[in-house]
Structure formats: C-alpha cells, structure tokens
Amino acid sequence: MPEFGFPAQPRSAEMARIISDLRKRGDDTRVATVTGRFADVTAERRGQVSELMQIEKSIGDLQGYADSIALSELRASTTQRSLDQLSELGQNLSNAVDPILTNGTDANFEIISGVANASLESAISALNVSIAGRALFGGDDAGTAPMLDAASIFAASTPFLEGAASANGAYTALRSEFLGGAGLFETTFYHGGLNNAPVTEVAPGERVDYAARADETAIRDVLFNITVMAAAYDTTNGIPADQRRELVAQASIGLRNADSQIANLQGRVGSAEARIAAQKSRNIATEAALTLRFNDLAGADSFEAALQLTELENQLETAYATTARLSNLSLANFL
C-alpha cells in the first residue's frame, strides 16, 4: 500500500535556500548590470586578482596625486596673481609719475605719495596671502604672515630719508636697509622662513617647486621704491623740500627696473605651473589606461548581465510561487 505524506518542512527549508541563492545572484547581477563590473571579482577570476589589486592601488595613488596637484595649482596661480599685482602697482605708479615730473605741482606729487601709500598696503596684503593654512610667500614658515604691516614699514623707513645730505644719499641709505644684509627688511619687516617651502610631489619622483619668498630681491626692490614714493611728498615728515622731487624720480626708475626682476619671478612660477599641468595630463592619461585595463579584467557584459537578471527574476518568482504552494499543502487540503 503506498504511503501518503507531505514532508513540507524539509522542502520549505530547501526552497528557502534556493530563494536566498537566487536573491544573492540577482543582487550580484544587478550590480553588474548597473556598473559594468562583477560584484564578486575574486569569484569570477577564480582568485587570480593580483594584477587587479596592483591596478587598483595604482589608480588610488594617482587619485591621491590629483588632490596634491589641485592644491599646487591653486597655490601657484595665487602666487602668480600676487606677483601680477606687485608688477601692476609698480607700473601704475611709474606711469602716473612720468608726466608730473615734467611740469607737476607739489599738490600733484602729494596725490602720488598718497596713492603710493595705498599701493604699499596692497602689496603687503598680496604678499601675506595664505592658502589652505600656508603663507605662500613665507618660505618654510607656513603659519606666519611673512610681512610686517605697511604702516609700520612706512614709519620705520621715513627717518632714513629725512636726515641725508642729498636725495641720492637718502635713497641709497634706505635701499641698503631693504636690500642689504642685516638691514631693516631682514631684522624687522620680513617674518617668514629663511628656507623655501617644501616641494610638492605630483607623481612618483616628480617634485615641483613653485614657491616665491617675500624676501627675494625683486620683491624687496618693489616694496622699497613704493615706500620711497609714498614718503617723498608725505607732509608729516621732515624730508628736505629740495630732495622730494628727486626721490620720486629715482623711485620711478627703480620701479621700472624692479619690474623686469618681477617678470623673472613670474616666469619661474609659470614654468612650475606648466610642469604641474603637464604632469596632470600624464596622470589623467595613465589613470584612463589603467581603468580600461581594470574594466577588461573585472568588467561584465551589461547586456548579458541584464538578460541573466531577467532570467533570475523569473526563477525567483517561480520559487516564491512554489514556496507558497508548499506552505498550503496539508492532508486536509489534499483530501
């Protein structure tokens, strides 16, 4: 006589296992459909993933360099803008002075001195610029504004222009304080580091130095001549009246000469910017090539994955329906 029975519990457990497996495969296939990559690359590659791991590390390294390059680009371009501003301030003062030197009045010169005073403040502000916590013109002292404030520089400089026997003597005396060793500039005006800022690595073994310090000769010379021009016709000081016009004339010539030195600094920073841009392009190209190779090894056919996903969804629906039917089986229902 045949036996009748419905071992529903074991069959339900088996169906639960099948459903769980189908859901896992469906999730993995869904990932492959959307991303174009296998969800479990190790399983698909049967454990042969050493090349994939190396490629993934190389891509991660390049992405790390991308952050360094972006910060370097920002710092270099900001440095360049500050140098542009110094050059523009000097040129504008020289251009404004030239016609006044021919037939200008004291009132005209007083206006120029006022403009020069404001230019000194702008120049100091440009040199004290900071990006991401680093004072760009402070060398290896990243956390300190490299330059003393403009008013203090002006006040400390004026006495050297008041007591000389000639305009040329006054000009030379103050110039030595700005450009000579152990003068006011080094002891009082400049607060930055004595060494250059650390170079930036933009690729393995590729380091770029884009920094300029505020104590470089070109920058000192611009600040000196702007200071002379600001003090020359300041009515509160004791510069001899017969020396004032000559001081303005010498400062104007000095600014024109200093501008060529600033241009050299700009060229140095521009060369670093070009190297950064070139390395950035190389890194992008390398990352693209590595990504293609990674996709070749870890990539899934999205169209095939979509077909598999549809098939798995149908199987899962069938499994759910079968489970529902099994759950309703009982002797009473059978009878």
Side-chain angles (χ1 to χ4, degrees):
M1 180 175 180
E3 288 188 26
F4 295 93
F6 301 91
Q9 191 66 28
R11 291 188 180 183
S12 294
E14 176 65 13
M15 289 305 301
R17 185 193 66 77
I18 292 172
I19 288 173
S20 177
D21 179 64
L22 287 172
R23 291 178 62 183
K24 173 65 170 59
R25 289 166 60 194
D27 289 342
D28 290 348
T29 305
R30 190 174 292 107
V31 169
T33 302
V34 174
T35 67
R37 291 182 179 177
F38 295 114
D40 189 346
V41 177
T42 302
E44 292 292 335
R45 299 286 300 172
R46 294 177 173 82
Q48 303 299 313
V49 293
S50 59
E51 184 180 357
L52 277 170
M53 292 174 64
Q54 183 58 48
I55 292 174
E56 195 167 28
K57 179 183 181 304
S58 297
I59 291 174
D61 290 343
L62 287 171
Q63 290 172 345
Y65 284 122
D67 294 337
S68 176
I69 286 174
L71 185 55
S72 297
E73 287 178 319
L74 176 60
R75 285 174 172 166
S77 64
T78 304
T79 299
Q80 197 72 280
R81 282 197 298 273
S82 291
L83 293 174
D84 287 341
Q85 188 171 356
L86 288 179
S87 176
E88 184 178 347
L89 289 170
Q91 288 180 32
N92 288 345
L93 284 172
S94 290
N95 293 336
V97 161
D98 286 346
I100 296 176
L101 284 171
T102 304
N103 51 17
T105 64
D106 285 354
N108 297 135
F109 282 105
E110 288 173 14
I111 291 172
I112 290 296
S113 282
V115 173
N117 208 316
S119 297
L120 182 60
E121 291 184 357
S122 297
I124 297 302
S125 178
L127 292 172
N128 283 341
V129 66
S130 178
I131 295 292
R134 172 169 290 282
L136 296 187
F137 288 87
D140 58 352
D141 187 348
T144 303
M147 292 303 303
L148 185 67
D149 65 278
S152 298
I153 291 174
F154 182 81
S157 298
T158 300
F160 291 90
L161 300 173
E162 292 176 319
S166 67
N168 186 62
Y171 186 85
T172 301
L174 184 57
R175 191 172 194 275
S176 122
E177 293 298 321
F178 270 80
L179 278 80
L184 273 177
F185 194 95
E186 292 185 358
T187 61
T188 307
F189 299 164
Y190 179 69
H191 295 165
L194 299 180
N195 300 302
N196 289 335
V199 298
T200 301
E201 188 173 59
V202 293
E206 182 69 20
R207 293 173 173 82
V208 178
D209 180 7
Y210 53 83
R213 295 210 315 261
D215 65 340
E216 299 201 37
T217 300
I219 293 174
R220 293 192 195 201
D221 215 1
V222 170
L223 295 178
F224 158 64
N225 284 290
I226 291 178
T227 302
V228 170
M229 199 171 286
Y233 273 84
D234 180 74
T235 57
T236 64
N237 63 43
I239 296 174
D242 61 346
Q243 296 180 17
R244 292 181 184 272
R245 185 182 293 252
E246 179 60 25
L247 283 173
V248 172
Q250 289 196 50
S252 179
I253 294 171
L255 284 174
R256 292 193 186 282
N257 292 336
D259 192 55
S260 63
Q261 299 179 60
I262 292 292
N264 290 335
L265 264 182
Q266 291 173 305
R268 192 180 83 197
V269 176
S271 177
E273 287 181 299
R275 287 182 60 200
I276 292 171
Q279 189 59 57
K280 179 180 180 180
S281 296
R282 286 194 291 270
N283 287 1
I284 290 173
T286 301
E287 183 178 349
L290 288 172
T291 301
L292 286 174
R293 178 57 180 163
F294 188 93
N295 288 338
D296 286 342
L297 296 173
D301 187 322
S302 296
F303 181 73
E304 182 180 344
L307 293 178
Q308 291 177 359
L309 182 61
T310 300
E311 182 179 346
L312 286 169
E313 287 173 344
N314 291 335
Q315 292 178 18
L316 191 58
E317 289 177 3
T318 301
Y320 277 129
T322 301
T323 301
R325 292 180 64 188
L326 283 173
S327 67
N328 287 328
L329 284 181
S330 66
L331 180 60
N333 287 339
F334 177 77
L335 294 175

